[in-house]
Amino acid sequence: MNRIQGALEALVERIDTPAPIVLVDVMQENIDRMQAFTARNNLDVRPHVKTHKCVEIARRQVRAGAVGITAGNVGEAEVFAAAGFDDIFLAYPIWPSGTKGRRIRRLAENTRLRVGADNIAAINGLADAMGAEPDRLQVVIEVDCGARRSGAPAEAAGDLALAARNRGLVPAGVFTYPGHGSAGPDARKGAAKDQDTALIAAVRSFNAAGVTAEVVSAGSTPTVEFSTSSVITEIRPGEYVFNDLNNARLGACTEDQIALFVAGTVVSDWIPDQVILDIGTKALGREGSPERGYGGIAGTTAVLSKLNEYHGFLPLPAGGFRPRVGTVLPVVPNHVCPVVVNFEEYIVTDSTGTSLERWPVDARGFLN
């Protein structure tokens, strides 16, 4: 964590807190490392932009070799399409209600758009939304691999692909999300194995239906290390670009690979064994628990024990660590994704803290 502390010391007089600080050199190392991993394992990487929601960062990922991007909703896809990204996978089981149908149709006119689906009703809705040109839209069937989120049983994938093809849509392949790999360090490998089992079964189901699964798409940052099965064609990690305490605790990254922290200032110290920071749920979100904390102070064992909307409660561990009022501290979030949506821009520097840029969080607020 020395890189974080060094950068903050150089920046402290030039920023207002709370503020999300991105170490661009660490971030670029993360991007390059993931690209090298996929090259070694004959995989494509399609990073999930929901983590950063920033056009500049996505451009860096594509320049490094990403085949396209993954988005979490139609609004995110629109923001990145408007910025020139023309290969987008909307990895979510979209229901094309309200304005979404025509928005998807417009996106498909100007991009190679893939959309997730896990049921017949959604497939029919997407086909209806595409009107006379359903073949402009590629559908990727989502299957469940044990996370018990969205996703059809793997054995149903072929029937869903066939239903899409019969409606004129293009069934491109299958995807899944091994979210149960975040349960703990020992869960990552098992979740990746579950992912492989589900994807293999889904591809077999496609074959039985007479449909070719050209895309076999896997996630996520915690399980990427083990997502090297020959059945997989691409991976969709998101958090790897910044990393966070959750991934460090899982063993999916080292602390030196964390590229984002939130600078917060000590504003009160009346309680002998505690200080208060100007950083609460409005900045960090609510990820955490009293047992593991709501974010850690880089370079120390101290963690925030409680958050109010604008207050962060920091118990002081034994050993002399007692920051004074006015001290700016680097808070590393448990989960980076909920932090990003709370800010309009990143403060971008490097590990030396000598440079300073501001990059907009372009897709902030786009929730549908």
Side-chain angles (χ1 to χ4, degrees):
M1 289 295 200
N2 291 335
R3 301 168 89 171
I4 289 177
Q5 293 171 306
L8 183 58
E9 288 175 8
L11 285 178
V12 70
E13 298 299 328
R14 294 185 283 164
I15 59 172
D16 295 324
T17 64
I21 313 297
V22 172
L23 303 183
V24 69
D25 52 340
V26 179
M27 183 193 76
Q28 189 64 51
E29 289 168 7
N30 293 341
I31 292 171
D32 294 341
R33 186 183 309 107
M34 184 63 69
Q35 200 65 50
F37 170 82
T38 57
R40 288 194 306 272
N41 290 282
N42 196 30
L43 296 167
D44 291 329
V45 61
R46 183 180 292 275
H48 209 314
V49 298
K50 74 176 179 65
T51 296
H52 55 72
K53 291 179 174 279
C54 176
V55 166
E56 173 58 28
I57 295 175
R59 285 178 176 150
R60 286 172 175 254
Q61 291 172 311
V62 171
R63 281 201 299 269
V67 296
I69 61 170
T70 303
N73 58 48
V74 178
E76 279 184 3
E78 288 172 326
V79 168
F80 285 87
F85 293 83
D86 59 3
D87 192 333
I88 300 173
F89 175 26
L90 215 170
Y92 190 83
I94 292 294
W95 179 249
S97 61
T99 64
K100 289 181 183 177
R102 63 176 178 269
R103 291 162 64 196
I104 288 170
R105 188 169 63 248
R106 283 199 301 267
L107 279 167
E109 290 172 355
N110 301 304
T111 68
R112 184 172 81 157
L113 182 66
R114 294 173 178 165
V115 176
D118 75 352
N119 61 83
I120 293 288
I123 286 169
N124 287 331
L126 289 167
D128 291 342
M130 292 301 295
E133 297 182 296
D135 59 344
R136 282 185 175 271
L137 183 64
Q138 298 185 24
V139 173
V140 188
I141 304 302
E142 182 177 15
V143 299
D144 177 44
C145 66
R148 300 185 63 81
R149 198 176 68 169
S150 51
E155 295 74 17
D159 288 341
L160 292 170
L162 194 57
R165 189 168 70 182
N166 289 341
R167 287 300 313 272
L169 301 167
V170 179
V174 296
F175 78 106
T176 194
Y177 173 67
H180 52 310
S182 297
D186 295 335
R188 297 166 59 215
K189 191 171 184 178
K193 184 176 180 180
D194 293 342
Q195 173 180 258
D196 288 349
T197 300
L199 290 174
I200 290 168
V203 170
R204 287 174 178 163
S205 182
F206 262 55
N207 292 339
V211 183
T212 300
E214 295 183 359
V215 176
V216 182
S217 184
S220 57
T221 295
T223 56
V224 156
E225 179 182 350
F226 307 105
S227 298
T228 56
S229 165
S230 60
V231 73
I232 298 170
T233 66
E234 72 172 26
I235 54 172
R236 311 181 317 278
E239 295 162 355
Y240 80 96
V241 72
F242 292 146
N243 289 313
D244 52 28
L245 279 184
N246 283 350
N247 279 294
R249 289 164 178 155
L250 290 170
C253 73
T254 66
E255 291 188 346
D256 281 341
Q257 291 166 355
I258 295 174
L260 182 146
F261 65 93
V262 182
T265 301
V266 176
V267 294
S268 178
D269 67 349
W270 281 105
I271 298 175
D273 58 352
Q274 173 183 279
V275 295
I276 301 295
L277 277 66
D278 62 347
I279 183 169
T281 61
K282 297 289 190 187
L284 287 180
R286 297 183 181 275
E287 293 272 344
S289 67
E291 292 75 29
R292 65 187 176 101
Y294 295 87
I297 307 303
T300 78
T301 60
V303 297
L304 296 169
S305 64
K306 187 174 84 168
L307 300 177
N308 290 345
E309 289 187 67
Y310 292 103
H311 296 77
F313 296 74
L314 181 66
L316 300 176
F321 173 68
R322 184 174 182 83
R324 295 174 295 181
V325 169
T327 303
V328 179
L329 296 175
V331 179
V332 180
N334 287 331
H335 183 193
V336 69
C337 299
V339 173
V340 167
V341 298
N342 298 319
F343 296 95
E344 294 182 351
E345 63 180 12
Y346 298 110
I347 307 297
V348 182
T349 185
D350 59 20
S351 297
T352 68
T354 53
S355 63
L356 192 152
E357 299 180 45
R358 296 175 186 270
W359 294 352
V361 183
D362 301 275
R364 178 180 183 265
F366 287 83
L367 301 177
N368 57 48

